[in-house]
Amino acid sequence: MPERLILVTNDDGLWAPGLACLAQVASRFGRVVAVAPDRNRSAISSALSLHDILRISELGPDRHTCDGTPVDCVLIACRSVLERKPDWVLSGVNHGFNLGEDVFYSGTVAAAFEGSLQGARAAAFSLHPKGDLAVAEAWIHRFLSSWEQLPLPPQRIWNLNLPKREPKGFRLTTQDTRSYHDVVEKRIDPRGTPYYWIGGDVGPIYAKSPGSDAEAALDDFVSVTPLHLDLTAPDLLARRSDFDAAFNGDGM
Ligand code: MN
């Protein structure tokens, strides 16, 4: 069996400590190639650069930056930089959680999804901003030692969130919901023109629904959420007769 080929990427940029941590763990499981953005590209989701040229810089053996997005990195790595498709695509370790609906904004999660679309087994890793990478490393090692025991069908990834303190264990979770307070701040610049700042001072407030990712991660478990790219809503799909009555009925 050929050596496992592992692509490591992130959305915080190639020099982020989380990427070094992930590459270090991954190197125990195969040959690691890092292709990551040349700067912080957090919250860029699945953006793809269709109207810009992209450059790859080789900084060392199996270590490259790209001036595009995390998804650009995975796509170019899988289609051009690597001599074959990677077996694993690992994204992170992100500086900060990717819980609840934040998975939609996350470049970390998007890179993992791109890995799954390229046929690899993929996972995203995120750590509490005050979490300890040395502690996270041991738990990521434990996860990667076992994750091939479970099938991972196409269009699916594992989304891991590692807590601030030493984890009590792994917990299989659902995606929570969250809200932001004062998410858009309007300020006035020195010339009197308004400008806007997205993010606010207060972090997200999670619903902490039972069994959710936020509940687990805030309760000091490693939250492991299986995510699916198919966004179809089964509850609305089940209301086919109501749909037909509304849109295809006699009243049309
Ligand atoms: Mn990030």
Side-chain angles (χ1 to χ4, degrees):
M1 191 178 160
E3 186 185 23
R4 218 184 252 123
L5 182 58
I6 304 171
L7 173 65
V8 167
T9 190
N10 70 354
D11 75 358
D12 294 337
L14 185 81
W15 293 272
L19 186 120
C21 166
L22 190 55
Q24 172 63 31
V25 186
S27 67
R28 300 170 201 149
F29 297 91
R31 178 182 152 216
V32 174
V33 179
V35 181
D38 62 357
R39 72 200 89 150
N40 192 328
R41 293 288 199 153
S42 293
I44 201 154
S45 190
S46 291
L48 196 56
S49 302
L50 293 182
H51 304 287
D52 298 302
I53 60 160
L54 294 167
R55 306 272 186 197
I56 294 274
S57 303
E58 187 172 0
L59 302 183
D62 292 336
R63 192 172 155 78
H64 312 259
T65 59
C66 171
D67 56 0
T69 66
V71 164
D72 292 333
C73 291
V74 175
L75 197 59
I76 293 173
C78 291
R79 298 293 176 135
S80 183
V81 175
L82 300 173
E83 56 271 24
R84 65 173 177 90
K85 293 282 179 72
D87 301 296
W88 295 358
V89 172
L90 308 179
S91 182
V93 177
N94 188 62
H95 179 73
F97 284 148
N98 278 303
L99 301 166
E101 293 95 336
D102 281 343
V103 299
F104 287 102
Y105 302 97
S106 169
T108 309
V109 172
F113 269 126
E114 187 59 33
S116 78
L117 287 173
Q118 296 300 320
R121 170 174 279 272
F125 302 87
S126 304
L127 172 65
H128 186 284
K130 292 184 177 158
D132 184 347
L133 279 170
V135 173
E137 186 185 298
W139 287 82
I140 293 168
H141 182 100
R142 281 174 67 171
F143 176 79
L144 294 177
S145 300
S146 303
W147 75 322
E148 284 187 333
Q149 290 178 35
L150 283 163
L152 192 55
Q155 296 204 351
R156 286 153 175 86
I157 65 160
W158 292 111
N159 183 37
L160 274 75
N161 280 278
L162 295 121
K164 183 177 175 183
R165 288 173 283 271
E166 175 75 38
K168 299 171 187 167
F170 291 100
R171 197 180 266 178
L172 184 64
T173 58
T174 58
Q175 187 184 312
D176 199 20
T177 51
R178 63 105 179 88
S179 58
Y180 278 97
H181 281 246
D182 303 324
V183 70
V184 175
E185 210 171 305
K186 184 179 178 181
R187 297 182 187 173
I188 306 294
D189 75 16
R191 295 194 175 86
T193 309
Y195 67 97
Y196 299 87
W197 184 256
I198 294 175
D201 294 334
V202 186
I205 295 168
Y206 301 105
K208 289 186 77 177
S209 324
S212 68
D213 52 11
E215 183 199 50
L218 295 171
D219 209 10
D220 296 331
F221 283 87
V222 179
S223 167
V224 186
T225 315
L227 296 181
H228 190 192
L229 257 187
D230 180 350
L231 301 178
T232 311
D235 54 342
L236 291 179
L237 197 65
R239 300 188 61 171
R240 192 174 297 274
S241 56
D242 293 341
F243 177 91
D244 283 335
F247 297 108
N248 297 319
D250 292 332
M252 290 291 285

